[in-house]
Amino acid sequence: MDMDIDSSHSSPHRGTIRSFKGCWTCRLRRKKCDERHPVCDTCASLHITCYYGHDKPEWMDGGARQEEMAERLKREVKEMAHRRRGERAVHDRVSAPRPRDLATPDDPDDGIELRPQRGADCTPASKDAHESISFGRSDTVLLMFYLEHVLPFLFPFYRPSALQGGRAWVLEMMIGSAVVRQATLCQSSCFFSLAQGLARCDVIWETVLTQTRNAFAVLRQALQIMDGSDVAEHLHGTVRIMASIIQVQRFEVTISSFNNCQAHLNAALALFKQLLSIPGVAELEGPASRFNAIISRLGPMAWVLPAYCIQVPSAEQAAFRFSSTILILDDIIASTVLQEQPRLYEYHRGLLESIDGTEPPIDLEAAIGCQNWALLQVGEISALDAWKQQCKRDGSLDVMELVRRASAIKDSLETHLTRLDTEPRVISNEVTGQMVAFTADFTQQSETLANLSPVVTRVWAHAALVYLSVVVSGWQPAGSDVRYHVGRVIELLTRQISPPVLLRTMVWPFCVAGCLAEPAQEARLREMVEVLQPPSILGTVRKALEIMENVWRDRDVGDIASRDLATCFRSQGDLVLLV
């Protein structure tokens, strides 16, 4: 029999209409429920979890657990307020659209004031707190251009399941967050102008630069507001800021701007660590548990077809998972340049390795085409290099310990490579039945990229073995192992990676192999870069070739014995993020 909640808690709410047959969420919140299954309208409108069931939940105990669940629902209502505002904003835009050109710093339409108030995504409040973000025709074109062309170019291997929402989370974040929107517009403006053949037009390029400055300004304002705040109170806003930083970082390195790499990486790393250290999460055991707890708090999942119980991850859940994946990659690559242990090293095994048969929370293969184990070992080599450098400074380097640690890394890489060559690859196809007719092209492209993943992983693994050799044995390009692995990287990139533009997703292994290549291989490496057009959006590939050219020029100059890859990477001054 359905019962109302404990009467001892009812006195403050007398006169409130309560449900005796509705969902347990409405009963606990003492709200009227329309008893619609499986999600009532009240819960759906608030984007909170709707608990239905004939049996009374264990947490409805009239005591501590019930109070805890009540507080949790209050947090959900508060944290999902941004989504409700976003939906109202969409409605307003549809009912009252107004034209708008590309934003400029002096555009009064922006309505941004530097006031000590926080918006839903921790950005400065607008002049009218109730005025939604305006979308004109130009903005709409640019945002769709980003979704359909820029994002697939930047992350060609990122093809989330259509039945899990696909890339819809990006659109939702654009609509609901000024931070994400501005970061997206600056990228899309740049690529759109290049696609139109307007790269040399000063007026157009100035507009692109204006968009970039606007993105930086919004990000700085958001970070200033977040400074000193309780991240737990602004969970969704923090995730949106982190996602925007990752976006701007990728855009900058793509157009050969490396000046802000360190600052942006520091900011994103700090936000990630703060998220996994909030009360109630920090106490959990292991990185995977803490990461999944944040994912849970960023929910609930969104209902697409409530009548059929179909849900997809919320925009913030998808954004946090994707941004964390890219951040781990960037941190590992940066550590190879800085000769420091990756700053997220403590999280690597918990987030990248399978534990007790469960899939790891982070899947690098789904984002960059490289399986987790290869990047995990690159991180291990970077940590080994940092340990070696510290021991040398202290005068306490134990060569036997160095070799022992290196042997374990080498064995792991070679074992995985052998397994990759011998075990058949099974590509699951989730699309069946009538869905095939709607997704044939998408499925074919996804399967093509999935077939390339083992090749991409081999490229990274062979480059990692070159890196390991340099860390342990020094600069020995004529060594048999080094020559073999360099040759394999070049062979894989030139003969098995197609289209050639995918080289931009493997810049670090390309540069590692190139730095230790033989003179006879130089022309082949140059040709791989020269065929890629236009150069203006292939900044990291061009930078890698520049680093390699410097190494080739000074091949027989200076103290070769003390040369290492970090020295080569740092020859350009700023942190060069080869991603």
Side-chain angles (χ1 to χ4, degrees):
M1 177 179 178
D2 290 330
M3 301 291 290
D4 194 12
I5 61 176
D6 192 290
S7 60
S8 63
H9 298 277
S10 64
S11 56
H13 302 278
R14 283 176 184 165
T16 302
I17 299 175
R18 290 171 287 168
S19 172
F20 291 85
K21 294 184 179 179
C23 73
W24 292 100
T25 304
C26 287
R27 287 189 238 186
L28 180 58
R29 297 182 64 245
R30 299 178 178 278
K31 302 295 181 182
K32 185 176 181 179
C33 183
D34 62 7
E35 301 178 14
R36 185 179 298 240
H37 289 263
V39 181
C40 73
D41 284 347
T42 302
C43 292
S45 65
L46 293 172
H47 296 290
I48 61 176
T49 308
C50 188
Y51 294 98
Y52 258 114
H54 295 294
D55 297 329
K56 188 174 182 179
E58 293 182 1
W59 43 261
M60 288 288 277
D61 59 359
R65 297 179 68 182
Q66 183 170 313
E67 292 291 343
E68 182 182 346
M69 179 57 73
E71 288 301 315
R72 176 180 171 183
L73 288 172
K74 286 180 183 178
R75 287 198 304 270
E76 279 193 23
V77 172
K78 181 179 178 181
E79 290 175 357
M80 299 312 293
H82 73 281
R83 183 175 294 179
R84 300 193 294 276
R85 284 193 289 270
E87 288 184 348
R88 288 195 296 272
V90 173
H91 178 270
D92 292 342
R93 292 180 204 113
V94 172
S95 60
R98 52 185 179 144
R100 175 187 172 119
D101 293 326
L102 294 178
T104 65
D106 300 323
D107 189 349
D109 251 355
D110 265 356
I112 292 178
E113 288 184 343
L114 287 175
R115 299 186 293 172
Q117 292 179 295
R118 272 184 275 267
D121 53 0
C122 304
T123 54
S126 64
K127 291 177 181 176
D128 180 356
H130 299 289
E131 183 180 357
S132 64
I133 299 172
S134 170
F135 275 73
R137 174 65 176 167
S138 62
D139 286 354
T140 306
V141 170
L142 289 173
L143 294 180
M144 288 309 300
F145 184 79
Y146 178 85
L147 277 175
E148 295 177 348
H149 302 286
V150 179
L151 188 63
F153 170 76
L154 294 175
F155 304 101
F157 291 96
Y158 182 61
R159 292 180 169 266
S161 164
L163 299 183
Q164 283 295 308
R167 293 188 287 253
W169 66 269
V170 183
L171 179 60
E172 185 176 341
M173 298 276 280
M174 293 175 188
I175 292 172
S177 167
V179 172
V180 177
R181 175 173 175 261
Q182 201 62 50
T184 303
L185 281 175
C186 79
Q187 299 175 73
S188 195
S189 297
C190 172
F191 285 97
F192 191 80
S193 67
L194 292 171
Q196 293 283 355
L198 300 172
R200 296 180 182 275
C201 176
D202 292 340
V203 175
I204 296 295
W205 193 249
E206 182 57 37
T207 302
V208 171
L209 295 178
T210 295
Q211 292 282 12
T212 307
R213 287 193 293 269
N214 287 349
F216 289 151
V218 173
L219 273 175
R220 280 195 298 270
Q221 292 162 2
L223 287 169
Q224 288 169 2
I225 291 172
M226 281 295 299
D227 188 32
S229 300
D230 184 357
V231 170
E233 292 182 7
H234 305 285
L235 206 60
H236 294 78
T238 302
V239 167
R240 288 193 289 277
I241 293 171
M242 181 176 133
S244 300
I245 293 172
I246 296 295
Q247 277 194 349
V248 173
Q249 177 88 287
R250 268 300 180 281
F251 168 64
E252 285 195 300
V253 300
T254 299
I255 60 171
S256 303
S257 176
F258 298 94
N259 298 338
N260 299 306
C261 277
Q262 188 71 70
H264 289 161
L265 183 61
N266 289 344
L269 288 167
L271 290 176
F272 179 87
K273 289 185 175 182
Q274 288 177 44
L275 284 167
L276 266 65
S277 300
I278 64 175
V281 173
E283 296 80 8
L284 298 175
E285 184 179 354
S289 298
R290 297 202 291 275
F291 186 90
N292 289 332
I294 294 296
I295 291 289
S296 178
R297 291 196 181 197
L298 290 169
M301 296 179 74
W303 291 96
V304 178
L305 295 174
Y308 297 95
C309 300
I310 297 176
Q311 290 179 292
V312 298
S314 72
E316 285 74 20
Q317 286 175 324
F320 180 60
R321 194 179 299 278
F322 177 73
S323 300
S324 298
T325 302
I326 302 305
L327 182 60
I328 286 177
L329 168 68
D330 289 0
D331 179 44
I332 290 173
I333 300 306
S335 71
T336 68
V337 179
L338 302 171
Q339 285 187 304
E340 298 174 354
Q341 178 175 286
R343 289 165 64 182
L344 298 182
Y345 182 74
E346 63 183 293
Y347 302 97
H348 282 187
R349 297 209 173 271
L351 296 181
L352 299 177
E353 283 191 334
S354 176
I355 300 175
D356 298 329
T358 60
E359 291 296 318
I362 296 293
D363 183 7
L364 288 162
E365 183 178 6
I368 65 166
C370 179
Q371 295 171 20
N372 285 10
W373 59 266
L375 266 300
L376 186 66
Q377 295 306 320
V378 173
E380 291 292 339
I381 300 168
S382 177
L384 179 64
D385 192 19
W387 171 82
K388 175 186 174 182
Q389 298 305 320
Q390 184 60 52
C391 288
K392 287 174 69 175
R393 287 190 293 269
D394 296 341
S396 59
L397 179 61
D398 184 341
V399 177
M400 294 300 294
E401 177 64 12
L402 173 67
V403 172
R404 185 191 68 80
R405 294 188 182 191
S407 296
I409 297 172
K410 183 179 181 181
D411 289 346
S412 177
L413 283 166
E414 291 179 342
T415 299
H416 278 96
L417 272 172
T418 301
R419 190 177 302 157
L420 201 61
D421 291 333
T422 57
E423 292 183 358
R425 178 167 176 80
V426 179
I427 301 175
S428 61
N429 184 2
E430 63 171 19
V431 180
T432 57
Q434 297 181 7
M435 188 67 179
V436 174
F438 302 107
T439 61
D441 291 342
F442 177 87
T443 302
Q444 183 178 3
Q445 294 173 12
S446 297
E447 288 180 354
T448 300
L449 291 170
N451 285 323
L452 278 177
S453 177
V455 182
V456 173
T457 304
R458 288 186 186 96
V459 169
W460 282 91
H462 284 292
L465 286 162
V466 174
Y467 178 33
L468 179 62
S469 176
V470 174
V471 168
V472 177
S473 306
W475 197 264
Q476 298 185 27
S480 58
D481 281 355
V482 170
R483 292 176 62 189
Y484 169 74
H485 293 299
V486 167
R488 287 294 292 143
V489 170
I490 296 174
E491 192 73 14
L492 289 166
L493 288 174
T494 54
R495 295 187 179 275
Q496 296 192 43
I497 296 295
S498 180
V501 74
L502 288 177
L503 174 64
R504 64 163 306 280
T505 67
M506 292 164 273
V507 178
W508 185 86
F510 171 66
C511 192
V512 167
C515 285
L516 286 109
E518 299 178 82
Q521 296 169 315
E522 292 176 11
R524 196 174 180 187
L525 291 163
R526 288 192 189 98
E527 184 182 356
M528 291 169 62
V529 177
E530 289 167 359
V531 297
L532 303 179
Q533 298 294 329
S536 51
I537 57 172
L538 295 158
T540 50
V541 179
R542 298 275 166 176
K543 180 61 71 173
L545 181 59
E546 186 179 330
I547 291 170
M548 290 150 56
E549 294 277 10
N550 289 339
V551 174
W552 300 340
R553 185 187 63 243
D554 300 332
R555 181 177 272 116
D556 301 317
V557 177
D559 184 8
I560 299 177
S562 63
R563 185 177 295 168
D564 56 33
L565 284 165
T567 304
C568 299
F569 296 154
R570 288 199 301 266
S571 65
Q572 302 298 305
D574 298 309
L575 169 62
V576 177
L577 204 55
L578 297 173
V579 292

